[in-house]
Amino acid sequence: MKTLMSRLGYTFRDESLLQTALTHPSCSGERHVANYQRLEFLGDAVLQLAISRFLFDHYPDQEGKLSRARARLVCEDSLFEASHQYHLGDYLILSSGEERMGGRERPSILADVMEAIFAAVYLDGGYDQAEALILRTLDQPLHNHPVDRKLDYDYKSLLQILTQKDGGATPVYELVARTGEDHCPTFVMRVMLNGEELARGEGHSKQAAQQQAAQTAYNQLKGSWNR
């Protein structure tokens, strides 16, 4: 706990809050302990507020663009990637079954735990401490032009609309490779159309790699497809 608190940059007065934030629901029946689900619910609200305030203060864009930027920042992919800096997988409290199923590296679990930790800090030290942790945790994506017009697109959807035009086929995504350490994997995905590879992409989650592959394929196809 001391090592994790050092990484988070926050020392809990009530360490049981942090322990609950790290406890997977699979332990509730096995060990009769509280799990992170209630904290996750609260943490999502604290996260939404902190990110909304940051975007409101730093970007003069209209509500629609700010909402899309916020959605990208608080999504599972973003929180999963952010969790790597704290090595959260090393600290999860899991049942033996969830451990065997690879729960320590599962993006959905790590994203949920990240939100639960935000709530735990909020309850232990107040909103200002929770906001400070959120801004530290998401510092890179927050300052990487989160409202850039180029980032407004869901390229998987755009590519599907393009290829299905006039009754065409639906793109299919396939895993090519998974590399890196368990706590920080890199996935390589390819997008296929009618059995042929259009493009490849990589990222720290399958969804991110799929988006990159779709973006490359869409940019390559959109000129000739629309003629």
Side-chain angles (χ1 to χ4, degrees), residues 73-221:
L73 289 163
V74 303
C75 70
E76 179 181 303
D77 283 351
S78 177
L79 292 171
F80 170 59
E81 292 188 21
S83 74
H84 295 149
Q85 62 194 288
Y86 304 125
H87 305 282
L88 286 189
D90 296 343
Y91 303 97
L92 297 182
I93 302 169
L94 305 169
S95 68
S96 56
E98 190 62 43
E99 182 89 47
R100 289 194 299 271
M101 293 289 288
R104 293 192 185 278
E105 293 85 40
R106 191 169 300 163
S108 60
I109 292 177
L110 291 169
D112 289 348
V113 169
M114 198 73 259
E115 288 186 323
I117 289 175
F118 295 151
V121 172
Y122 168 74
L123 292 174
D124 190 73
Y127 176 76
D128 288 346
Q129 291 287 352
E131 181 185 55
L133 174 60
I134 289 167
L135 297 184
R136 289 197 302 273
T137 300
L138 296 174
D139 178 72
Q140 185 173 346
L142 277 171
H143 292 90
N144 188 27
H145 307 295
V147 194
D148 192 321
R149 287 178 174 79
K150 293 183 293 185
L151 299 178
D152 277 345
Y153 303 114
D154 174 359
Y155 282 97
K156 287 180 65 176
S157 297
L158 288 177
L159 180 63
Q160 183 169 328
I161 291 170
L162 183 65
T163 60
Q164 288 185 329
K165 187 177 180 181
D166 300 324
T170 300
V172 175
Y173 296 86
E174 298 178 352
L175 177 65
V176 176
R178 181 188 187 280
T179 59
E181 300 294 331
D182 286 343
H183 68 271
C184 188
T186 296
F187 297 91
V188 178
M189 303 290 296
R190 66 178 180 178
V191 56
M192 308 287 291
L193 188 69
N194 295 321
E196 295 186 5
E197 181 177 315
L198 296 180
R200 295 190 178 195
E202 67 176 56
H204 291 306
S205 69
K206 291 180 182 179
Q207 294 89 343
Q210 288 172 0
Q211 281 289 346
Q212 188 180 98
Q215 180 177 356
T216 300
Y218 176 79
N219 288 335
Q220 290 173 349
L221 292 176

Side-chain angles (χ1 to χ4, degrees), residues 8 10 12-22 35-50 79 88 111-134 137:
L8 292 170
Y10 178 80
F12 280 83
R13 293 173 293 182
D14 181 0
E15 292 187 17
S16 68
L17 284 167
L18 179 57
Q19 183 169 342
T20 299
L22 296 168
N35 65 67
Y36 62 63
Q37 288 182 320
R38 281 172 53 83
L39 286 175
E40 175 203 346
F41 165 76
L42 179 60
D44 177 69
V46 176
L47 173 62
Q48 293 272 353
L49 177 58
L79 292 171
L88 286 189
D112 289 348
V113 169
M114 198 73 259
E115 288 186 323
I117 289 175
F118 295 151
V121 172
Y122 168 74
L123 292 174
D124 190 73
Y127 176 76
D128 288 346
Q129 291 287 352
E131 181 185 55
L133 174 60
I134 289 167
T137 300

